[in-house]
Amino acid sequence: MAFLTSNTPLDVVKHLVLIAVAGLLLVLGFFYVYLPVSTHHGETITVPKVTGMNVADLEAYLDERNLNYFVDDSSYSPNIRPFTVLVQDPAPGEKVKEGRKIYLQVSMKNPPVIKMPKLTDGSSKNAMLILKSYDLVVGQIQLVPDLASGAVLKQLVNGKEIAPGAAIAKGTKVDLVVGDGQGNQTFAVPNLINMPEDEAVTLLVGQGLQKGEVFEQPAEDGQTRGTVVRQRPAAGPDATIRMGQLVDIWIAK
């Protein structure tokens, strides 16, 4: 026949003390042993410089240092090798824990494709600013006879016109055809000799020409003061001039 034994008050106290000691050991072990080991408490790594490196070399390089990486951005530059690290975060020299990810921006192999902006009907200076803002390159600027001085008449890529909105890769060279302000209409040089200065200037403006330099020289015999005694270019049967060009005159004084 089995006999039931009852715990004495002393036994109960012993059990409670053992339970309390076990609980305390568990708490201390969790905070002072498990957590430091699992989180590498107090251990840090100095972030190395990876800018300028190729992404293909990063995995082994960072594995040796217990670090990871993630490419979260990219950009294109024709002067930088593809897949080169351009920017890193955290920066070199910062202290991080093991396993930390380093976020990278790398150079693209192929340039991104954008829409060609509209450059015509605006000034060449404005066109250059637009091209720069679109990461396009200003190519040759060809001046052609046109009254629209400094205005972009055509936008070209590889010698062919490209329409606004057409697909174009960043870094592409864009050539501009720009008006020189002189027009392409030619006509005989007007004869200003012996005309009063104000009438000569009025005639020039009326024919789409511009007054250039005005020189004075002493009046000679037979010359009337205040009149044109010489001009450049000179008038003649075969002398022609384009609209918008300058004409210099000499006035007798």
Side-chain angles (χ1 to χ4, degrees):
M1 180 174 179
F3 292 94
L4 295 175
T5 60
S6 59
N7 292 327
T8 65
L10 180 60
D11 293 332
V12 173
V13 172
K14 289 180 179 180
H15 290 160
L16 292 176
V17 170
L18 290 175
I19 292 173
V21 170
L24 179 62
L25 290 175
L26 287 174
V27 171
L28 294 175
F30 179 79
F31 283 103
Y32 291 97
V33 178
Y34 174 76
L35 280 183
V37 170
S38 61
T39 62
H40 302 282
H41 181 70
E43 296 182 17
T44 59
I45 299 174
T46 301
V47 177
K49 178 183 178 182
V50 296
T51 53
M53 294 181 61
N54 192 281
V55 173
D57 303 326
L58 281 183
E59 188 163 357
Y61 181 77
L62 292 178
D63 275 350
E64 294 177 356
R65 291 157 177 79
N66 296 320
L67 294 171
N68 299 309
Y69 74 90
F70 179 77
V71 178
D72 67 345
D73 196 8
S74 60
S75 62
Y76 176 78
S77 174
N79 302 319
I80 300 178
R81 290 182 306 163
F83 308 116
T84 299
V85 178
L86 304 175
V87 180
Q88 68 176 83
D89 182 30
E94 290 191 24
K95 302 292 185 180
V96 298
K97 290 185 177 181
E98 291 185 2
R100 171 68 184 270
K101 282 184 180 179
I102 299 179
Y103 294 89
L104 308 175
Q105 177 184 337
V106 302
S107 59
M108 299 173 62
K109 180 178 181 180
N110 298 314
V113 176
I114 59 174
K115 291 184 178 180
M116 177 68 196
K118 185 179 188 303
L119 307 176
T120 53
D121 300 329
S123 69
S124 57
K125 290 184 179 180
N126 188 55
M128 293 178 190
L129 294 175
I130 294 175
L131 289 175
K132 184 177 181 181
S133 68
Y134 276 73
D135 290 331
L136 297 170
V137 179
V138 180
Q140 294 183 345
I141 298 179
Q142 178 186 356
L143 296 176
V144 297
D146 194 278
L147 291 178
S149 178
V152 178
L153 307 177
K154 295 180 182 180
Q155 49 195 42
L156 310 172
V157 173
N158 296 326
K160 297 181 179 179
E161 286 195 61
I162 179 170
I168 185 173
K170 285 188 176 183
T172 299
K173 185 178 295 184
V174 179
D175 301 325
L176 304 175
V177 178
V178 179
D180 63 3
Q182 297 182 6
N184 54 12
Q185 180 181 354
T186 60
F187 49 89
V189 176
N191 186 6
L192 309 176
I193 304 302
N194 296 326
M195 292 181 62
E197 180 181 358
D198 56 347
E199 292 183 14
V201 173
T202 301
L203 177 61
L204 290 175
V205 174
Q207 295 195 9
L209 300 171
Q210 299 184 57
K211 180 183 72 172
E213 296 286 344
V214 177
F215 304 96
E216 295 181 356
Q217 67 179 46
E220 300 179 358
D221 292 340
Q223 294 178 342
T224 303
R225 292 176 180 171
T227 60
V228 179
V229 294
R230 181 185 169 194
Q231 67 180 75
R232 183 176 56 199
D238 299 323
T240 59
I241 193 170
R242 284 192 305 180
M243 187 175 293
Q245 285 188 305
L246 299 174
V247 178
D248 299 329
I249 55 177
W250 281 255
I251 306 299
K253 294 294 183 180

